[in-house]
Amino acid sequence: MISFFEASLKQLSIHHTGNKLLEEYYKLSDAPLKIEDETLGNLLMQYFLKPFEKVNEVYRFYHPNDNLQLNEVFHFANEIFENNDLFHEDSQQLAKYLYDVANHPKIKSGELYVAYFEKVQIEGEQLDALGIFKSETKDTYLKVYPEQDGFNMSYEQDAISINKLDKGCLIFNVDQQEGYKVVVLDQAKSSNESAVYWKDEFLKLKIRNDSYNQTNNVLGVYKNFVTQKLDSDYEISKADKIDLLNRSMKYFKEKESFDIEEFGNEVIGNAEGIESFKNYKKNYEEEYESPIADQFEIAESAVKKQARAYKSVLKLDKNFHIYIHGNKDMIEKGYDDDKSMNFYKVYFREEE
């Protein structure tokens, strides 16, 4: 969804932010970096923009008080888009603000890069974009070079890999009143308490409620409904649960749009189960303040993403795995009294 084959890097400022709780400090540069080496410029474009090529979720800035001007990153981005002369000064303010919100002892110090790009494409539209990136992970690199009749070797410590962008966001100069279009990247594990500060504390983002998000949410909610809710309310075999998941994925792969009534009738198939799913979906919407429409266009990219999380494997002790891809009537579960063990009977026409 993000492409940059015509993009150019116009401005770049670099600062350093530490961890305030560990009594580290921030260091601000006095002026933007002048990039006169074309190769360096190309490497920076790859480092900053390439990780976003496969990012699909689009976010908006928000503030709990519903006043976007109280969102600091939105405020400074807005100033830069309106008056580019403020770019470096506002990049310094962004570094100070990141330092202030990094209130967790596990947050790593690192370089903060604020970059201004032209002609970055999102959803088919070329736009100016403000990039904010942070590098936290350092590596040691070996360099081999010819010398006299052989080779020699050197190394460089605490260097940055252009293939490992730790944190970043791109803010596109469009939909200003709605909080811009923003894409975000964070390599920290979501279970890590220090990970939330980038997206939730520093940027303050909420997901844009588009077809991708609607598709992704319904598939996620339905998967949890089948694997968790049905277990607590009904006696249902794992084979039947896999069948329900397979039927839902088939629905989303074959249809162009989602309709909750059609989905319930074709996939779940009984009135009690349909009502239970609707209630489960409603509870999700209320708990996470994330409404999901009853009808929407299906986003193929979201289906592909969720398909990786949909499991169709029956794991039987440590001896067998059974992959169920189609008709669940071709597999039967039973119990052998003599062996005091469960068994599955599988029907097939040809062995491949």
Side-chain angles (χ1 to χ4, degrees), residues 58-60 122-123 125 127 170-175 179-183 208:
V58 177
Y59 291 82
R60 304 283 198 193
I122 180 172
E123 298 177 335
E125 188 176 11
L127 299 163
L170 291 173
I171 306 160
F172 291 88
N173 191 13
V174 69
D175 299 340
Y180 294 119
K181 288 182 181 180
V182 185
V183 291
R208 186 183 66 175

Side-chain angles (χ1 to χ4, degrees), residues 12-58:
L12 175 64
S13 292
I14 305 175
H15 312 290
H16 182 90
T17 62
N19 187 311
K20 184 163 54 175
L21 293 182
L22 301 179
E23 296 185 350
E24 299 172 344
Y25 299 97
Y26 61 80
K27 182 175 177 57
L28 306 178
S29 59
D30 292 331
L33 182 69
K34 292 183 178 180
I35 304 172
E36 298 175 349
D37 187 310
E38 182 178 352
T39 300
L40 175 60
N42 292 334
L43 290 173
L44 287 171
M45 292 285 287
Q46 180 180 341
Y47 177 52
F48 292 141
L49 298 182
K50 190 171 180 59
F52 290 93
E53 285 183 322
K54 296 183 179 180
V55 172
N56 292 295
E57 294 95 334
V58 177

Side-chain angles (χ1 to χ4, degrees), residues 276-314:
S276 180
F277 172 63
K278 288 180 178 179
N279 290 332
Y280 190 84
K281 171 178 169 288
K282 182 180 179 182
N283 290 337
Y284 170 89
E285 293 173 307
E286 292 174 352
E287 181 177 356
Y288 293 97
E289 298 181 353
S290 180
I292 304 172
D294 288 341
Q295 295 92 26
F296 56 83
E297 296 298 312
I298 291 174
E300 183 181 351
S301 56
V303 176
K304 289 180 179 178
K305 176 187 174 183
Q306 282 287 349
R308 295 193 290 268
Y310 269 53
K311 305 298 182 184
S312 58
V313 185
L314 270 176

Side-chain angles (χ1 to χ4, degrees), residues 88-239:
H88 185 71
E89 178 184 333
D90 282 341
S91 77
Q92 293 175 323
Q93 297 302 319
L94 286 166
K96 292 178 184 178
Y97 178 60
L98 178 62
Y99 178 78
D100 286 337
V101 300
N103 293 317
H104 193 283
K106 291 186 178 180
I107 292 174
K108 297 178 181 178
S109 63
E111 287 73 38
L112 182 73
Y113 310 85
V114 182
Y116 195 93
F117 302 97
E118 292 181 351
K119 294 185 178 179
V120 183
Q121 187 175 113
I122 180 172
E123 298 177 335
E125 188 176 11
Q126 282 189 344
L127 299 163
D128 286 4
L130 182 69
I132 307 173
F133 315 97
K134 188 183 178 193
S135 61
E136 299 173 337
T137 305
K138 302 299 194 311
D139 292 311
T140 300
Y141 290 93
L142 295 175
K143 181 178 181 180
V144 178
Y145 53 91
E147 186 176 87
Q148 297 178 353
D149 296 331
F151 296 89
N152 206 339
M153 180 180 287
S154 64
Y155 67 91
E156 184 170 353
Q157 291 181 308
D158 296 329
I160 299 169
S161 169
I162 63 169
N163 297 315
K164 293 181 182 179
L165 179 63
D166 292 299
K167 289 175 170 60
C169 78
L170 291 173
I171 306 160
F172 291 88
N173 191 13
V174 69
D175 299 340
Q176 183 256 4
Q177 294 294 326
E178 289 78 41
Y180 294 119
K181 288 182 181 180
V182 185
V183 291
V184 65
L185 183 76
D186 191 346
Q187 300 292 1
K189 294 181 180 178
S190 58
S191 59
N192 186 338
E193 292 181 9
S194 65
V196 299
Y197 89 98
W198 180 255
K199 182 167 72 73
D200 297 340
E201 300 296 330
F202 175 58
L203 297 170
K204 291 188 181 69
L205 298 174
K206 64 179 180 180
I207 194 76
R208 186 183 66 175
N209 205 21
D210 59 359
S211 61
Y212 178 91
N213 187 48
Q214 300 272 15
T215 305
N216 191 58
N217 279 351
V218 163
L219 281 167
V221 168
Y222 182 75
K223 177 176 177 288
N224 290 338
F225 169 74
V226 171
T227 58
Q228 298 174 17
K229 177 66 174 173
L230 289 182
D231 265 349
S232 63
D233 290 355
Y234 308 97
E235 288 188 10
I236 181 171
S237 70
K238 288 187 177 181

